[in-house]
Amino acid sequence: MVRLRAPRHPVDPRARAWWTARALLTVSGPAALAAATLLTLCFLFFPGAASWLVPLVTAVLVAPAVAYAVVMPARRCRTHGWELGESALYAVSGWYGRRRRIVPLDRVESVALRRGPLLRRYGLAVVVVGMGPDAEAVRITGVSEPEARRLRAGIEGAVAASAAETAASRTEGGRGAGILAVGRAGWLRYAPLTFWVWGGVLVAGGTTWRVLNAFGVKPWRIGIVRRLWAGYGAGAPWLAALLGLAAVTLLGVAGALAVHAATWWRYRLERTPSGGLDVRRGLFATSVVSIDADRLCGVALREPLLLRAGGGASVRAVAGGLGDRERNRKRSVALPPAPRAEALRVCAEVLGTDGVLEAGALRPAPRVALRRRLVWALGWGVLPVALVLVALGWLLELPVLLWCAAGWVAVASPMVCALARDAYRALGYAVRGRHLVVRSGTFGRETVALERSSVQGWTFTDTPFASRADVVTVTAIVAAGEGGYRIRDMSATEAVQFAEYAAPGIVREFLIQTSA
């Protein structure tokens, strides 16, 4: 079996004292101060509450604060490490979970040292390795200042040598200029297939309510509101609720159609002569978003739950140079909600290869991933509400709340289990030609196809629970889109080999062969 070995350089021994001091200043100290304040007020003004407040404060504030100050520094000292290889930088971090990150030196754009007052007190520094504005920087902490300076010099020297030897280039052969897609009026039917149909109306209603209050107008005193309440609300509250829901839905649908028409009317997707993309859209004013060919790393086929149920999908370009993360999400849309077949065709046109995102044999996640999602769904989606209802029923002596808890469990459990199974079935990954394909999500399902040559590094993330299940989350780092795309719950025995196969050479020098 092939796996990643530990990096050769651990952190400086003084890092443990630095992490302890930081824990006392940021988490444990404030928690202990809050506990002392509560207990002091209790003994001064409410001595009768000490019998239950002292154990509660100890369990909620004191014990976690002490555990964090003791466990976190020790775990970080055992986990953190780094190594500067011949062609890549390898860094490990984390304390509860572990992140192992490997980035090629030819993708590094900047190296900087960070030394705050607390770091200077312990003679330490943080090395920050940047890979451009669209990718998350690598932070190597717990390094002594002399070692940090040597590491920075080594990275800068390796980057300069790599830049002198190789020049990164990408070709876009066979992609001629032309129109790839044109909007159609029939696509308007997909505009309401979003949860914002209701959320947008509630936001607009809340804003209107605040504006009226600011002018001294009480909305519930308006004549039409009072007449509607007198006619329906007072005598038939359930009918009023249904009518209100219907009104909100109709307003939301009308608003979604209007916004979609204003935003995407006269939509056109074009391939430029240089191989990039131009997205033109707008009813009242034409907006043009240009995506350079050198910044285009792939596409993302997005299928949110309601849109997927209606047979639609949208497409985003995985590209850099479009602004920060939020602006990138808005400007990278290459196709608005449209029929799924049209979305697949546009993806094929953008990628220059047919069949990359077609329904096919993506490698599924191991079976244990289903168990993890079922446990998470029941533990966080069903159990907390049931426990609250049971506790209230017991404290208030209201048996009806116990029946409500039982009803909640009976109704919610099948629903969340169905969603968990759908989330498991969505997991998949594959290498298809020159593209890495990753799929995940149930409420917001997304299938991403990345150019394998655009992968700038790998991050392997696990937690104690994931380690027991023998799975790991692998993130392909790219200087575009979200900055990284996760392959969730991949088998730990296959993760490293798959990363080496998908983007050869990045992790190779940090691998070791072990017995199964």
Side-chain angles (χ1 to χ4, degrees):
M1 183 178 69
V2 178
R3 66 177 180 86
L4 282 173
R5 58 175 172 80
R8 292 176 179 171
H9 300 284
V11 297
D12 190 274
R14 292 170 292 183
R16 182 166 185 169
W18 170 61
W19 276 315
T20 302
R22 196 172 67 168
L24 293 175
L25 290 174
T26 58
V27 177
S28 299
L33 182 60
T37 303
L38 286 174
L39 294 179
T40 300
L41 293 175
C42 172
F43 286 117
L44 288 177
F45 302 104
F46 309 101
S51 59
W52 61 268
L53 186 60
V54 171
L56 180 63
V57 170
T58 302
V60 174
L61 291 176
V62 178
V66 173
Y68 182 77
V70 173
V71 174
M72 184 273 288
R75 288 277 298 174
R76 286 193 183 276
C77 285
R78 286 196 296 268
T79 302
H80 281 235
W82 59 273
E83 180 178 344
L84 180 60
E86 295 181 1
S87 60
L89 175 66
Y90 180 22
V92 182
S93 62
W95 67 279
Y96 174 74
R98 179 178 55 172
R99 295 187 72 199
R100 295 169 292 174
R101 194 166 181 187
I102 302 173
V103 295
L105 293 175
D106 59 4
R107 302 300 179 95
V108 174
E109 294 190 4
S110 63
V111 187
L113 298 186
R114 298 286 186 266
R115 297 188 67 228
L118 195 60
L119 283 167
R120 288 197 297 269
R121 166 67 178 80
Y122 291 98
L124 302 173
V126 175
V127 182
V128 182
V129 182
M131 296 184 296
D134 298 302
E136 181 186 359
V138 179
R139 297 175 62 88
I140 303 175
T141 58
V143 185
S144 66
E145 184 181 357
E147 190 68 30
R149 295 187 184 279
R150 286 194 291 270
L151 176 58
R152 181 178 65 176
I155 294 175
E156 290 175 344
V159 170
S162 176
E165 292 175 1
T166 61
S169 63
R170 295 177 58 193
T171 60
E172 302 290 342
R175 298 187 183 183
I179 298 176
L180 304 184
V182 177
R184 299 176 184 175
W187 295 357
L188 279 172
R189 68 182 185 271
Y190 295 104
L193 298 180
T194 170
F195 290 107
W196 275 105
V197 165
W198 298 281
V201 174
L202 295 178
V203 170
T207 303
T208 304
W209 186 285
R210 294 181 62 180
V211 171
L212 292 176
N213 272 331
F215 284 97
V217 178
K218 304 300 182 184
W220 61 87
R221 293 182 179 177
I222 299 176
I224 186 172
V225 176
R226 297 178 65 180
R227 286 193 296 272
L228 287 174
W229 175 254
Y232 298 99
W238 292 107
L239 178 60
L242 291 175
L243 290 176
L245 180 60
V248 169
T249 303
L250 290 175
L251 288 173
V253 169
L257 292 174
V259 171
H260 187 278
T263 305
W264 290 103
W265 203 258
R266 297 189 298 177
Y267 157 80
R268 189 170 63 187
L269 176 65
E270 300 176 351
R271 171 84 68 188
T272 64
S274 62
L277 299 175
D278 278 351
V279 183
R280 301 177 182 272
R281 57 189 174 91
L283 176 61
F284 304 108
T286 301
S287 170
V288 181
V289 176
S290 297
I291 301 174
D292 294 337
D294 293 338
R295 297 294 188 95
L296 184 61
C297 300
V299 295
L301 179 72
R302 295 180 52 80
E303 301 172 273
L305 184 61
L306 293 180
L307 186 58
R308 185 166 75 247
S314 63
V315 178
R316 279 184 184 171
V318 180
L322 299 179
D324 57 23
R325 189 71 52 84
E326 192 61 33
R327 284 174 57 83
N328 189 297
R329 290 171 181 168
K330 294 178 180 179
R331 303 184 67 197
S332 63
V333 179
L335 179 74
R340 190 174 189 274
E342 177 68 11
L344 289 173
R345 187 193 67 79
V346 169
C347 288
E349 291 284 356
V350 173
L351 295 174
T353 306
D354 293 330
V356 176
L357 294 180
E358 295 287 350
L362 291 184
R363 188 173 183 85
R367 191 70 178 175
V368 70
L370 173 59
R371 186 191 70 194
R372 283 165 53 82
R373 275 149 185 78
L374 289 172
V375 170
W376 187 91
L378 293 172
W380 292 100
V382 178
L383 188 60
V385 176
L387 290 177
V388 169
L389 290 174
V390 169
L392 290 176
W394 178 68
L395 292 173
L396 302 177
E397 297 182 355
L398 293 175
V400 66
L401 293 180
L402 302 180
W403 287 106
C404 289
W408 165 256
V409 172
V411 173
S413 295
M415 295 176 59
V416 299
C417 287
L419 291 173
R421 292 181 183 277
D422 183 69
Y424 169 72
R425 287 192 296 267
L427 297 177
Y429 58 94
V431 171
R432 290 179 174 172
R434 55 189 176 87
H435 295 100
L436 168 65
V437 183
V438 180
R439 185 182 65 199
S440 65
T442 182
F443 289 105
R445 181 167 300 171
E446 186 174 67
T447 307
V448 180
L450 299 173
E451 292 274 358
R452 293 163 64 185
S453 60
S454 68
V455 176
Q456 293 193 342
W458 296 98
T459 300
F460 302 86
T461 307
D462 57 33
T463 64
F465 294 105
S467 297
R468 290 190 61 183
D470 198 32
V471 294
V472 63
T473 295
V474 181
T475 304
I477 304 170
V478 293
E482 299 296 314
Y485 292 89
R486 295 181 178 89
I487 307 174
R488 301 180 185 275
D489 283 1
M490 179 185 286
S491 172
T493 58
E494 301 176 0
V496 177
Q497 291 174 302
F498 179 81
E500 175 60 22
Y501 173 68
I506 296 179
V507 302
R508 184 177 302 157
E509 62 180 306
F510 307 109
L511 301 179
I512 58 173
Q513 187 77 33
T514 61
S515 58

